Amino acid sequence: RAISMDLERLKTLEAISEEMTDKGFVSGLNCMVIKDGKEVFYCQSGYRDMENKLKVERDTIFKIYSMTKPITAAAAMLLLEEGKIDLLSSVADFLPGFSDLTVYKEDGPVPSEKPVTIGNLLNMTSGIVYPGELNNAERICNKMMEDVIAGLHNGKPMTTVEIANRIGKNPLAFTPGEKWQYGFSADILGAVIEVVSGMRLGEFLEKRLFEPLGMKDTGFFVPEDKRHRMAKVYRGTDAGLKEEITENLGISHNREMPPAFEAGGAGLTSTINDYSKFTQMLLNKGELNGTRIMSESTVEFMTNSHITKAQEKGIREWESLAGYTYGNLMRIMKYPEYSAGLCSAGEYGWDGWLGTYMMNDPLHNLTFLLMYQKVDAGTTEYTRKMRNVVFSAV
């Protein structure tokens, strides 16, 4: 049956957007709602560059950080449906750095009982971590990341495959498959895609996803003629928003040239218009404007959960992911009764470190997208308020 939307209710999103910029929570943002393949709401507020009073527009380019991950998962799905990868294959088959895996135990690293598989990468059950202080594996990862960032400055940047092999030599936080933990898994997957396809990750994404979908402003760097459209990154301080220069996760801040490290977990820049084409392709079961990107069964597999109840324990530690499970580098709503807001069973998506957010709801054929640039934002209270408005308008 056709499910309509209360378009008047959606106008509340404009008021929330203006509150976010008026209060100085963010410098500027845009958001979009798409229903049944048609854009039913769009608004923009504030500045992409506060100092020069340049407004956020539809074609403003944002660093999407972890919203890169669903795109990398889609790339892996293309190789999966062509029989070029198997989810139970050991990553060591493609990246020799993963040949002698160790797991960090209380007494130090011990040999891993299991290999890291491609499926472990897609589901964040690999034991590969991000830099941090929670355990020894994270602390060792800190040191590696210092080397990666040093390479950005000394003219010896490490490539995607080099970084992946280096990560393989670091101890895992746990035996693969034992738990769920967020980390560099998507970046390793990007390196596997390079090895299997024989192309740079960016080249593969351009050829197989961005060009056929018409995503002309999405990539691992921003050409000079587009740089004026980039949104600046800000940090919230007691004295208000301050511009931030960040090379978080080894990704160059200025994005001026093709990077050696094309980070499948965090490296892409995009616009709200471009990303909406990717989300619509998934909602349309693999097709957009008459161009088929992947098969319906592949999209079905990609957008469903693939972790166990025991592994879900790791997700439950994230308050904003209450009710979600995980699969193929995305959150998937499995337990609406535990959700922290209005939702739909089966809705899926992900967010980014600087506040970008995507949600697809197959039940209502609905997409919600939000873009802004604030350090450590992820999914905020404002994001949840906006989601609640979107779902209440169905």
Side-chain angles (χ1 to χ4, degrees):
R1 69 195 171 91
I3 302 166
S4 62
M5 289 205 83
D6 180 345
L7 301 185
E8 276 302 306
R9 174 64 60 84
L10 289 179
K11 289 180 182 169
T12 312
L13 296 174
E14 205 151 354
I16 296 172
S17 298
E18 281 167 12
E19 182 184 323
M20 289 169 76
T21 51
D22 290 349
K23 287 189 170 177
F25 180 75
V26 292
S27 61
L29 73 149
N30 55 18
C31 72
M32 183 183 283
V33 180
I34 302 168
K35 176 84 175 80
D36 300 328
K38 292 187 178 67
E39 184 185 303
V40 292
F41 179 84
Y42 170 83
C43 80
Q44 60 195 41
S45 180
Y47 299 104
R48 67 181 187 269
D49 177 342
M50 289 172 71
E51 292 72 21
N52 295 303
K53 297 283 184 275
L54 300 175
K55 292 189 171 177
V56 167
E57 307 282 358
R58 267 180 183 271
D59 65 355
T60 296
I61 296 170
F62 296 88
K63 296 169 181 173
I64 62 172
Y65 267 87
S66 288
M67 253 166 60
T68 303
K69 290 179 171 76
I71 290 175
T72 298
M77 292 298 112
L78 296 175
L79 296 176
L80 178 78
E81 66 180 13
E82 290 169 355
K84 290 181 178 165
I85 58 171
D86 169 30
L87 298 188
L88 295 182
S89 290
S90 168
V91 172
D93 294 347
F94 311 96
L95 299 167
F98 281 78
S99 298
D100 300 306
L101 285 177
T102 59
V103 177
Y104 216 104
K105 301 287 186 185
E106 284 175 22
D107 303 334
V110 300
S112 177
E113 296 163 20
K114 292 182 177 178
V116 171
T117 65
I118 292 176
N120 292 146
L121 298 178
L122 280 159
N123 297 318
M124 291 281 176
T125 56
S126 61
I128 298 164
V129 295
Y130 269 144
E133 295 295 335
L134 289 178
N135 53 50
N136 282 323
E138 289 186 3
R139 284 186 275 274
I140 290 168
C141 195
N142 287 343
K143 175 71 181 79
M144 185 213 76
M145 192 40 59
E146 285 169 15
D147 294 345
V148 172
I149 291 172
L152 294 176
H153 299 285
N154 65 18
K156 296 177 187 168
M158 292 163 71
T159 67
T160 311
V161 169
E162 283 171 345
I163 289 172
N165 279 316
R166 175 83 183 265
I167 289 170
K169 292 185 168 72
N170 290 349
L172 303 172
F174 51 83
T175 303
E178 189 185 319
K179 299 179 191 172
W180 182 93
Q181 185 175 338
Y182 204 50
F184 274 119
S185 289
D187 302 276
I188 310 304
L189 187 64
V192 170
I193 291 166
E194 288 199 355
V195 172
V196 173
S197 70
M199 299 180 210
R200 294 295 313 276
L201 178 60
E203 189 188 348
F204 183 84
L205 295 179
E206 178 64 32
K207 186 176 170 186
R208 301 296 303 277
L209 289 168
F210 304 155
E211 200 178 319
L213 288 171
M215 295 170 70
K216 60 188 190 306
D217 288 328
T218 303
F220 286 110
F221 77 106
V222 181
E224 194 173 348
D225 61 337
K226 296 182 180 183
R227 293 188 54 72
H228 64 284
R229 292 198 267 133
M230 282 184 78
K232 285 186 173 179
V233 174
Y234 293 91
R235 179 183 287 281
T237 73
D238 292 342
L241 293 170
K242 294 278 180 278
E243 188 183 349
E244 177 93 351
I245 307 299
T246 172
E247 287 164 344
N248 188 33
L249 301 181
I251 299 159
S252 136
H253 179 76
N254 55 33
R255 311 288 171 102
E256 283 175 349
M257 59 185 74
F261 173 36
E262 295 186 331
L268 289 174
T269 57
S270 191
T271 65
I272 201 163
N273 278 350
D274 265 17
Y275 210 93
S276 72
K277 292 171 181 173
F278 175 68
T279 61
Q280 291 316 288
M281 178 275 289
L282 292 178
L283 268 189
N284 293 344
K285 297 278 194 285
E287 178 266 342
L288 187 72
N289 299 329
T291 300
R292 180 151 293 284
I293 304 293
M294 61 177 80
S295 77
E296 287 195 24
S297 56
T298 305
V299 175
E300 191 71 22
F301 179 84
M302 177 176 166
T303 56
N304 271 287
S305 159
H306 297 283
I307 65 171
T308 65
K309 272 211 162 19
Q311 291 163 347
E312 283 172 358
K313 202 172 154 200
I315 290 192
R316 287 198 286 275
E317 291 167 13
W318 291 32
E319 203 175 29
S320 65
L321 290 182
Y324 288 100
T325 182
Y326 196 83
N328 297 313
L329 305 179
M330 294 192 290
R331 61 173 193 274
I332 295 141
M333 179 53 71
K334 186 177 177 184
Y335 312 104
E337 64 273 25
Y338 301 134
S339 172
L342 302 183
C343 67
S344 235
E347 53 111 325
Y348 60 85
W350 201 240
D351 66 6
W353 176 61
L354 297 174
T356 57
Y357 187 90
M358 74 84 88
M359 184 279 295
N360 264 359
D361 173 14
L363 185 67
H364 300 112
N365 201 8
L366 178 67
T367 295
F368 168 58
L369 287 168
L370 175 64
M371 298 273 187
Y372 60 84
Q373 303 279 261
K374 184 181 183 181
V375 170
D376 291 334
T379 298
T380 67
E381 183 182 345
Y382 279 116
T383 311
R384 290 190 291 276
K385 285 177 175 177
M386 286 182 155
R387 272 181 54 102
N388 287 337
V389 169
V390 171
F391 277 108
S392 73
V394 174

